[in-house]
Amino acid sequence: MKTATLGYLLAGALAYCSTAHASDGAGRGQAIAMQGDGSGAPCIACHGLDGAGNDAAGFPRLAGLDTGYLVKQMQDYRSGARQNAVMAPNVDNLDDQQMIDVAAWYASQQPTPASLPEVDTALLELGKKVASSGDWDNYVVPCETCHGPGSLGVGSAFPRLAGQHAGYIKQQLHAWKNGTRGNDPDQLMLAIAARLSDEQIEAVAAYLARQPQQGDL
Ligand code: HEC
Ligand code: HEC
């Protein structure tokens, strides 16, 4: 009997939550995540409903990233300031409010812990050094100076890197290096990426992907 009562209460609570959700921005955002912008594919096809993304396919994690950061990236794809042929067509029909709503949905998702294969400890040591201490000989400021302690992100300007997929981090750093990503304010990231060696990029991406994300600390 007790279990049945608990089940009833839980069902009631869940029904209440989903009704409450459906009327707020994240609820509208969930609908966009599931349906897309009308011309592109639904976001969940690539980023998943929970925003975990997919490392092998090159789809970044969105879960738990800052709403303002996510909105800025979508606006940049829409305006062409950030270019990517796979991603841009999926948001070019969204208006600002829809971008805020879908960003709020992904920001509210709990980041899922990644299970990653073991890698060389020397590589992870080098990655940790770049992230926490930088490489002063080559004027590389530690990532944590801007991305915050544990690279957990600071406000809307500096995204969380901890737990992001290694392949995506690596790809973005190379994109800045070769000039295909240039939407960062004051070229802050270009200045950093340009001075990183390929080995440092490999190492810092592997290290950051293995760091705990906010929420599962
Ligand atoms: C066909 C696959 C695909 C679909 C569908 C898709 N995306 Fe993406 N998304 C990508 C890829 C690939 C990237 C990385 C692109 C790059 O390198 O700039 C990305 C990047 C992003 C980013 C930037 C993340 C960051 O950390 O800077 C945001 C925000 C985003 N997508 C939101 C969305 C939303 C919202 C939708 C649905 C309206 C959506 N995406 C649909 C593939 C997709
Ligand atoms: C001087 C400040 C600064 C430092 C130091 C810095 N970053 Fe950044 N980084 C930024 C800003 C600002 C952005 C957001 C750019 C935008 O709005 O598109 C960013 C974005 C990124 C992104 C894109 C994340 C995403 O979700 O698309 C990656 C990857 C990244 N930084 C890696 C690094 C690494 C690795 C280091 C250390 C080697 C580092 N950053 C050091 C300022 C900095």
Side-chain angles (χ1 to χ4, degrees):
M1 280 308 278
K2 268 196 172 156
T3 326
T5 315
L6 186 64
Y8 176 76
L9 284 175
L10 270 176
L14 282 174
Y16 172 75
C17 286
S18 55
T19 330
H21 255 138
S23 60
D24 66 19
R28 288 194 305 265
Q30 179 183 11
I32 296 167
M34 294 173 78
Q35 288 155 19
D37 76 341
S39 66
C43 322
I44 61 171
C46 299
H47 297 286
L49 184 59
D50 64 354
N54 183 310
D55 192 8
F59 305 141
R61 284 178 181 279
L62 304 179
L65 290 182
D66 179 84
T67 305
Y69 172 76
L70 292 172
V71 170
K72 175 189 180 276
Q73 299 310 311
M74 285 186 258
Q75 288 173 337
D76 287 354
Y77 287 121
R78 191 180 54 189
S79 72
R82 181 172 176 183
Q83 297 196 342
N84 183 275
V86 178
M87 178 51 211
N90 303 304
V91 284
D92 57 357
N93 276 335
L94 296 178
D95 63 31
D96 286 348
Q97 187 59 49
Q98 288 173 311
M99 287 183 177
I100 292 168
D101 291 344
V102 71
W105 165 257
Y106 278 120
S108 73
Q109 296 307 294
Q110 190 72 11
T112 47
S115 66
L116 292 163
E118 286 202 10
V119 291
D120 187 30
T121 47
L123 189 75
L124 292 183
E125 277 304 312
L126 175 61
K128 184 179 181 178
K129 186 174 169 287
V130 173
S132 317
S133 317
D135 174 7
W136 293 105
D137 291 346
N138 292 307
Y139 304 100
V140 174
V141 185
C143 317
E144 292 186 358
T145 310
C146 293
H147 292 277
S151 297
L152 286 167
V154 180
S156 297
F158 305 105
R160 186 189 65 219
L161 305 174
Q164 183 53 276
H165 297 303
Y168 174 75
I169 295 176
K170 205 171 124 175
Q171 184 206 15
Q172 297 307 304
L173 292 171
H174 283 294
W176 268 301
K177 241 183 136 164
N178 66 29
T180 48
R181 181 168 175 178
N183 67 325
D184 46 326
D186 299 327
Q187 302 196 312
L188 291 175
M189 271 311 297
L190 171 66
I192 301 284
R195 296 190 193 111
L196 291 173
S197 69
D198 287 356
E199 191 195 12
Q200 285 173 323
I201 290 179
E202 186 78 34
V204 80
Y207 172 76
L208 289 168
R210 284 165 178 75
Q211 298 316 298
Q213 307 166 68
Q214 220 154 13
D216 55 35
L217 278 174

